[in-house]
Amino acid sequence: MSSTPSSDNQRLDQRSAAPVAGHEPGTAGQEPVLSVRRLRVEFPTRHGTLVALDDVSFDIAPGEVLGVVGESGAGKSMTGNAVIRLLEPPGRIAEGEIHLSGKRIDNLPEDEFVPLRGRHIGMIFQDPLTSLNPLFSIGDQLVETIRAHLPMNEREAREEALKLLCEVGIPAPESRLDSYPHQFSGGMRQRVVIALALAARPEFIIADEPTTALDVSVQAQILALLKRLCADHGTAVMLVTHDMGVIAETADRVAVMYAGRLIEIGPVDEVVRNPQHPYTKGLMASIPGITKKLERLYQIEGSMPRLAAIPSGCAFNPRCPHAQKRCRDERPDLMPAEGSRAACWLHDPVDPLPPRQDVEGREVSHVR
Amino acid sequence: MLAFLIQRVLQAIFVMFVVALISFSLFHYVGDPVMNMLGQEATEADRAALRAQLGLDQPVVVQFWHFIVNAAQFEFGISYRSARPVTDLILERLPATLELAIVSAIFAVVMGIGLGIYTALRRRSWLANFIMTASLIGVSLPTFLIGVLLIYIFAVELGVLPAFGRGETVRIGNWWSTGLLTASGLRSLILPAITLGLFQLTLIMRLVRAEMLEVLSTDYIKFARARGLSKRVVNLRHALKNTMIPVITIIGLQLGTIIAFAIITETVFQWPGVGALFITAVRFVDVPVMAAYLMMIALVFVVINLVVDLLYYAVDPRLRAQGGGK
């Protein structure tokens, strides 16, 4: 295995200039709220078993926001679904462990797991237009959620629902409690969804592309709201998105996924400014900037392999400009790389692979 | 809401008018009742007298006007065959048909929804697969064959249930005779009710299952699970209510069909209902009875459709909003 979370955090403490006080990810001695170890998710199909997640390990500290990025199909949402145990059948956790506040939860029987949802692990989905049941008023949906977790009667739960709506910034909540989802705009619905996800004050929530389906103008508001609420309640967030802008703005640390594997993880500043894995480098270089004026966007040659055809060794090797024999034979674990950790043999602490150089002695780049 | 209701009622009236026109035209295209009633030997004077008595000597438009006015008051004239008021004949027979239809509708709806939910939630279990396969048989076998098979098994071979008739009946009020209060009446009801309801049962079951599977894969069901609601609440509150919208439509239409198609079941089981009355009427070209039966069935369909539309309003808030502002 790679380095422990605490060594990761020590490095973080040395490097990142000033994390917000009280929000230091995984302050030494603090137990992670979520700890995922060597998680493997498989989909048995008629044509053999597809490995959707392979050997994914990470921690999230209390109050921390971990951004998870990657292309479609890289396993971002899959990771969230596996944690809250809402994998679409026949998907199943084949190996690994998931611990919530130190307690192992992946092996709990279903009837013991159900009460964790909403109470300890919340989840926000991508599309607020379809996340709410159209046939129930938002008051009904809030009250049933609150009462499923907290010992309240109908009246108390309604008051709590009002408070929640206030907190997520719904104007005139008293008059909106009996409204139905279709009577709200997209942004307002996502606020309701956030209120529902936070109704029982879970210590950890998974936000799966929470702003992707929203107007750009509303996205920032919703992100700010989510960030503020989670900071107020000390809720840790796993923010799944493909939008690096969202990550840079919101996350404390970022995890990069590729073909069902975690390939780089580290403080957001490090990963954005100084990416270590060749894939992350390509990913960052392909983000258009307002200040940079480019003829055309950078792109990484080729495309992510299908789950049925993941190459041996490093999954990125067919597209990687530095790929050598070892990359095709042996799969790299996460290893310390500058300010973050990357799964790449270039960073092997014992025997680092030399990066390929072009004729002028510059490190070759796969981007062009 | 009110505008919607008025609009639907106007539509219903129009439908009834068209059906009345068709029923009325029966009088002119299905044989000559006077000929049938009096036979070959009657004199021309007798025929003219009967024609006048039945109102057949007046202009067509006037006849139609009388027909509609009378129909609106549930007056359908005198049966050509038994020479009794058609309304009395139908009212006499109606309780038998309604009891049969309602019992088999309840059987079909309760079992259909129940089995539909079960086969959707446990769709990989062998029992669910068995039910689905068996339901194919229910859909594809014609009603009369199911009736005959049931009679053969339960009445002839096992001898546990009566093969025909309604058993003992008890009178309630002036004209309602019920078979629901006697043991023999209830026993007689079982086979015809199953026969009449089986097709609807399988239809409702398959529909509920398909809708339920679709609803269970929606985001709001996933979100309801993620909120930590129990399986029961998610399945029976959130999923079932959303499943019900298309199901209500089908159930409504099928209720009408149950009453209309009771004809076959009533014939197979010699059930003394309106369907059997209609079959007899067809055989004797008893046009007033046929016309009245047509009007009655049309009314049943129209009323049920109206109720279904109103039920949509009750179930789906999105429709309410369009009608009445916020």
Side-chain angles (χ1 to χ4, degrees), chain A residues 69-90:
Chain A
V69 285
E71 296 169 44
S72 307
K76 315 180 296 279
S77 298
M78 193 73 70
T79 309
N81 289 344
V83 168
I84 199 166
R85 209 188 274 186
L86 286 174
L87 288 169
E88 299 287 335

CSV table of all heavy atoms in Angstrom, one decimal, chain A residues 69-90:
chain,number,residue,atom,x,y,z
A,69,VAL,N,-12.5,14.0,-9.4
A,69,VAL,CA,-12.7,14.4,-10.8
A,69,VAL,C,-12.3,13.2,-11.7
A,69,VAL,O,-11.6,12.3,-11.3
A,69,VAL,CB,-11.8,15.6,-11.2
A,69,VAL,CG1,-12.4,16.9,-10.7
A,69,VAL,CG2,-10.4,15.4,-10.8
A,70,GLY,N,-12.6,13.4,-12.9
A,70,GLY,CA,-12.3,12.4,-13.9
A,70,GLY,C,-13.3,12.4,-15.0
A,70,GLY,O,-14.3,13.1,-15.0
A,71,GLU,N,-13.0,11.7,-16.1
A,71,GLU,CA,-13.9,11.7,-17.3
A,71,GLU,C,-15.2,10.9,-16.9
A,71,GLU,O,-15.2,10.2,-15.9
A,71,GLU,CB,-13.2,11.0,-18.5
A,71,GLU,CG,-12.0,11.8,-19.0
A,71,GLU,CD,-11.3,10.9,-20.0
A,71,GLU,OE1,-11.9,10.3,-20.9
A,71,GLU,OE2,-10.0,10.9,-19.9
A,72,SER,N,-16.1,11.0,-17.8
A,72,SER,CA,-17.3,10.1,-17.6
A,72,SER,C,-16.9,8.7,-17.7
A,72,SER,O,-16.1,8.3,-18.5
A,72,SER,CB,-18.3,10.3,-18.8
A,72,SER,OG,-18.6,11.7,-18.9
A,73,GLY,N,-17.4,7.9,-16.7
A,73,GLY,CA,-17.0,6.5,-16.7
A,73,GLY,C,-15.7,6.2,-16.0
A,73,GLY,O,-15.3,5.0,-16.0
A,74,ALA,N,-15.1,7.2,-15.4
A,74,ALA,CA,-13.9,6.9,-14.7
A,74,ALA,C,-14.1,6.3,-13.3
A,74,ALA,O,-13.2,5.8,-12.7
A,74,ALA,CB,-13.1,8.2,-14.5
A,75,GLY,N,-15.4,6.3,-12.9
A,75,GLY,CA,-15.7,5.7,-11.6
A,75,GLY,C,-16.0,6.7,-10.5
A,75,GLY,O,-16.1,6.3,-9.3
A,76,LYS,N,-16.1,8.0,-10.8
A,76,LYS,CA,-16.4,9.0,-9.7
A,76,LYS,C,-17.7,8.7,-9.0
A,76,LYS,O,-17.8,8.5,-7.8
A,76,LYS,CB,-16.5,10.4,-10.3
A,76,LYS,CG,-15.4,10.7,-11.3
A,76,LYS,CD,-15.6,12.1,-11.9
A,76,LYS,CE,-16.9,12.4,-12.7
A,76,LYS,NZ,-16.9,11.9,-14.0
A,77,SER,N,-18.8,8.6,-9.8
A,77,SER,CA,-20.1,8.4,-9.2
A,77,SER,C,-20.2,7.0,-8.6
A,77,SER,O,-20.8,6.8,-7.6
A,77,SER,CB,-21.2,8.6,-10.2
A,77,SER,OG,-21.2,9.9,-10.7
A,78,MET,N,-19.5,6.1,-9.3
A,78,MET,CA,-19.5,4.7,-8.8
A,78,MET,C,-19.0,4.6,-7.4
A,78,MET,O,-19.5,3.9,-6.5
A,78,MET,CB,-18.6,3.9,-9.7
A,78,MET,CG,-18.7,2.4,-9.5
A,78,MET,SD,-20.3,1.8,-10.2
A,78,MET,CE,-20.0,2.0,-11.9
A,79,THR,N,-17.9,5.4,-7.1
A,79,THR,CA,-17.3,5.4,-5.8
A,79,THR,C,-18.4,5.9,-4.7
A,79,THR,O,-18.6,5.3,-3.7
A,79,THR,CB,-16.1,6.4,-5.7
A,79,THR,OG1,-15.3,6.0,-6.8
A,79,THR,CG2,-15.4,6.3,-4.4
A,80,GLY,N,-19.1,7.0,-5.1
A,80,GLY,CA,-20.1,7.5,-4.2
A,80,GLY,C,-21.2,6.5,-4.0
A,80,GLY,O,-21.6,6.2,-2.8
A,81,ASN,N,-21.7,5.9,-5.0
A,81,ASN,CA,-22.8,4.9,-4.9
A,81,ASN,C,-22.3,3.7,-4.1
A,81,ASN,O,-23.2,3.1,-3.4
A,81,ASN,CB,-23.2,4.5,-6.3
A,81,ASN,CG,-24.0,5.6,-7.1
A,81,ASN,OD1,-24.4,6.5,-6.5
A,81,ASN,ND2,-24.1,5.4,-8.4
A,82,ALA,N,-21.1,3.3,-4.2
A,82,ALA,CA,-20.6,2.2,-3.5
A,82,ALA,C,-20.6,2.5,-2.0
A,82,ALA,O,-21.0,1.7,-1.1
A,82,ALA,CB,-19.2,1.7,-3.9
A,83,VAL,N,-20.2,3.7,-1.7
A,83,VAL,CA,-20.1,4.1,-0.2
A,83,VAL,C,-21.4,4.1,0.4
A,83,VAL,O,-21.6,3.6,1.5
A,83,VAL,CB,-19.4,5.5,-0.1
A,83,VAL,CG1,-19.6,6.1,1.3
A,83,VAL,CG2,-17.9,5.4,-0.5
A,84,ILE,N,-22.4,4.7,-0.3
A,84,ILE,CA,-23.8,4.7,0.3
A,84,ILE,C,-24.6,3.5,-0.1
A,84,ILE,O,-25.8,3.4,0.2
A,84,ILE,CB,-24.5,6.0,-0.2
A,84,ILE,CG1,-25.7,6.4,0.8
A,84,ILE,CG2,-24.9,6.0,-1.6
A,84,ILE,CD1,-26.2,7.7,0.6
A,85,ARG,N,-24.0,2.6,-0.7
A,85,ARG,CA,-24.6,1.3,-1.1
A,85,ARG,C,-25.8,1.4,-1.9
A,85,ARG,O,-26.9,0.9,-1.7
A,85,ARG,CB,-24.9,0.5,0.2
A,85,ARG,CG,-24.8,-1.0,-0.1
A,85,ARG,CD,-25.3,-1.8,1.0
A,85,ARG,NE,-24.3,-2.1,2.0
A,85,ARG,CZ,-24.5,-2.9,3.1
A,85,ARG,NH1,-25.7,-3.5,3.2
A,85,ARG,NH2,-23.6,-3.1,4.0
A,86,LEU,N,-25.7,2.2,-3.0
A,86,LEU,CA,-26.8,2.4,-3.9
A,86,LEU,C,-26.3,2.0,-5.3
A,86,LEU,O,-26.7,2.6,-6.3
A,86,LEU,CB,-27.3,3.8,-3.9
A,86,LEU,CG,-28.2,4.2,-2.7
A,86,LEU,CD1,-28.6,5.6,-2.7
A,86,LEU,CD2,-29.4,3.3,-2.6
A,87,LEU,N,-25.4,1.0,-5.4
A,87,LEU,CA,-25.0,0.5,-6.7
A,87,LEU,C,-26.1,-0.1,-7.5
A,87,LEU,O,-26.9,-0.8,-6.9
A,87,LEU,CB,-23.9,-0.5,-6.6
A,87,LEU,CG,-22.5,0.0,-6.1
A,87,LEU,CD1,-21.6,-1.2,-5.7
A,87,LEU,CD2,-21.8,0.8,-7.1
A,88,GLU,N,-26.2,0.2,-8.8
A,88,GLU,CA,-27.2,-0.5,-9.6
A,88,GLU,C,-26.8,-1.9,-9.7
A,88,GLU,O,-25.7,-2.3,-10.0
A,88,GLU,CB,-27.2,0.1,-11.0
A,88,GLU,CG,-27.5,1.6,-11.1
A,88,GLU,CD,-28.9,1.9,-10.8
A,88,GLU,OE1,-29.8,1.0,-11.1
A,88,GLU,OE2,-29.2,3.1,-10.4
A,89,PRO,N,-27.8,-2.8,-9.5
A,89,PRO,CA,-27.5,-4.2,-9.7
A,89,PRO,C,-27.2,-4.5,-11.1
A,89,PRO,O,-27.7,-3.8,-12.0
A,89,PRO,CB,-28.8,-5.0,-9.3
A,89,PRO,CG,-29.8,-3.9,-9.2
A,89,PRO,CD,-29.2,-2.6,-9.1
A,90,PRO,N,-26.3,-5.4,-11.5
A,90,PRO,CA,-25.7,-6.4,-10.6
A,90,PRO,C,-24.3,-5.9,-10.0
A,90,PRO,O,-23.6,-6.8,-9.5
A,90,PRO,CB,-25.4,-7.6,-11.6
A,90,PRO,CG,-25.1,-6.9,-12.9
A,90,PRO,CD,-25.9,-5.6,-12.9
